[in-house]
């Protein structure tokens, strides 16, 4: 699986958009980009995934650069409940679809 | 649906003791996983299963055994617990038809003294 690099932490103002970057310069053509988050001590929660195209769902948007070497998770209107550790994961959708979690970005949403 | 449940929620073991962690899911998912999370770190895959009766090793399998006798249950065993196995253990499951999303349980906090 390709290695990902994320900033260790970032702050965001409540009500504003939060843009979380992720670098994955060694990504291969058949690897997906996944985002999960983990709210204090709870099990991780799936947010979104993508292969080449930008994706949007009710939680967030995922912007993948044309060369696929980096991506950005966008939380459009951050709330205090979005305070969590966000993990960017790159992996092949093979049998078992195993995920490798790195250190993630600790996001603190401030009032 | 209860989703993914884990039993017990907390446990303290002495070095050398054994125990089994139970993961149950009621979503008819084919794939199931056991992860561990040490303080300040991301999750690491211990073992996983792609179907009833099948298991495979993950990133950190040593010291653990697993069994998947029923589709809805995935058991993680520690035969002789060591302090290095103090961690939070998470179970997850996913469906083949929607393999991109893993559903996680609430975790089991294990301390080995």
């Amino acid at each position: 699986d390709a290695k990902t690099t994320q900033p260790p932490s970032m702050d965001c103002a409540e009500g504003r958009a939060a843009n979380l970057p992720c670098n994955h310069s060694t990504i291969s053509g058949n690897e997906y980009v996944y985002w999960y988050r983990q709210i204090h001590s709870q099990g991780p929660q799936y947010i979104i995934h993508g292969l080449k195209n930008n994706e949007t769902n009710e939680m967030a948007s995922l912007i993948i650069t044309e060369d696929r070497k980096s991506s950005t998770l966008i939380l459009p209107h951050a709330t205090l409940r979005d305070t969590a550790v966000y993990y960017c994961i790159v992996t092949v959708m093979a049998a078992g679809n195993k995920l490798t979690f790195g250190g993630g970005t600790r996001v603190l949403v401030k009032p | 649906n209860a989703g993914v449940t884990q039993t017990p929620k907390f446990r303290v073991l002495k070095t050398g003791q054994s125990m089994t962690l139970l993961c149950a899911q009621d979503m008819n998912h084919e794939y199931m996983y056991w992860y561990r999370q040490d303080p300040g770190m991301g999750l690491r895959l211990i073992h996983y299963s792609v179907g009833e009766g099948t298991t495979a090793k993950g990133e950190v399998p040593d010291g653990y055994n697993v069994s998947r006798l029923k589709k809805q249950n995935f058991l993680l065993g520690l035969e002789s617990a060591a302090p290095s196995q103090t961690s939070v253990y998470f179970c997850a499951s996913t469906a083949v038809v929607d393999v991109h999303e893993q559903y996680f349980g609430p975790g089991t906090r294990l301390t080995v003294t």
Side-chain angles (χ1 to χ4, degrees):
Chain A
D1 296 339
K3 179 178 170 60
T4 61
T5 303
Q6 300 177 251
S9 64
M10 62 183 294
D11 294 344
C12 175
E14 186 180 20
R16 304 293 293 270
N19 296 304
L20 283 63
C22 180
N23 284 319
H24 31 81
S25 59
T26 61
I27 192 170
S28 58
N30 60 348
E31 288 185 304
Y32 286 78
V33 179
Y34 293 86
W35 284 85
Y36 279 74
R37 74 179 183 184
Q38 186 175 25
I39 297 172
H40 182 63
S41 298
Q42 298 179 18
Q45 176 189 24
Y46 166 86
I47 301 173
I48 199 167
H49 76 278
L51 183 61
K52 296 180 181 178
N53 300 322
N54 298 337
E55 302 288 346
T56 295
N57 62 20
E58 64 278 3
M59 290 183 66
S61 295
L62 173 60
I63 308 299
I64 303 174
T65 58
E66 192 168 342
D67 64 8
R68 302 186 70 236
K69 293 184 177 182
S70 65
S71 60
T72 301
L73 179 74
I74 301 173
L75 307 177
H77 304 285
T79 70
L80 299 180
R81 288 176 296 178
D82 292 322
T83 291
V85 177
Y86 288 77
Y87 296 98
C88 171
I89 300 165
V90 171
T91 190
V92 174
M93 193 183 73
N97 201 31
K98 303 180 293 295
L99 302 177
T100 300
F101 289 78
T105 296
R106 188 172 298 274
V107 174
L108 176 62
V109 181
K110 297 181 175 180
Chain B
N1 286 352
V4 179
T5 57
Q6 295 183 229
T7 308
K9 290 184 170 54
F10 302 93
R11 185 72 185 269
V12 178
L13 287 179
K14 294 187 186 303
T15 298
Q17 289 184 322
S18 63
M19 77 163 295
T20 300
L21 283 67
L22 170 63
C23 175
Q25 51 92 7
D26 60 1
M27 298 172 283
N28 202 35
H29 286 172
E30 290 80 10
Y31 297 169
M32 296 188 74
Y33 313 82
W34 274 108
Y35 295 87
R36 63 175 286 175
Q37 185 174 32
D38 298 329
M41 298 181 65
L43 282 71
R44 292 183 293 171
L45 183 66
I46 304 171
H47 286 280
Y48 66 101
S49 169
V50 298
E52 183 178 325
T54 71
T55 63
K57 294 180 180 180
E59 181 185 359
V60 289
D62 293 343
Y64 305 95
N65 56 75
V66 289
S67 63
R68 183 103 181 267
L69 299 180
K70 294 183 179 181
K71 185 177 183 179
Q72 64 268 32
N73 295 337
F74 196 26
L75 279 63
L76 178 70
L78 287 74
E79 291 186 347
S80 180
S84 60
Q85 294 178 303
T86 293
S87 191
V88 180
Y89 292 84
F90 290 100
C91 176
S93 70
T94 192
V96 171
V97 295
D98 187 19
V99 72
H100 292 291
E101 181 172 356
Q102 289 191 17
Y103 295 79
F104 284 80
T108 294
R109 188 172 298 274
L110 175 66
T111 301
V112 183
T113 62

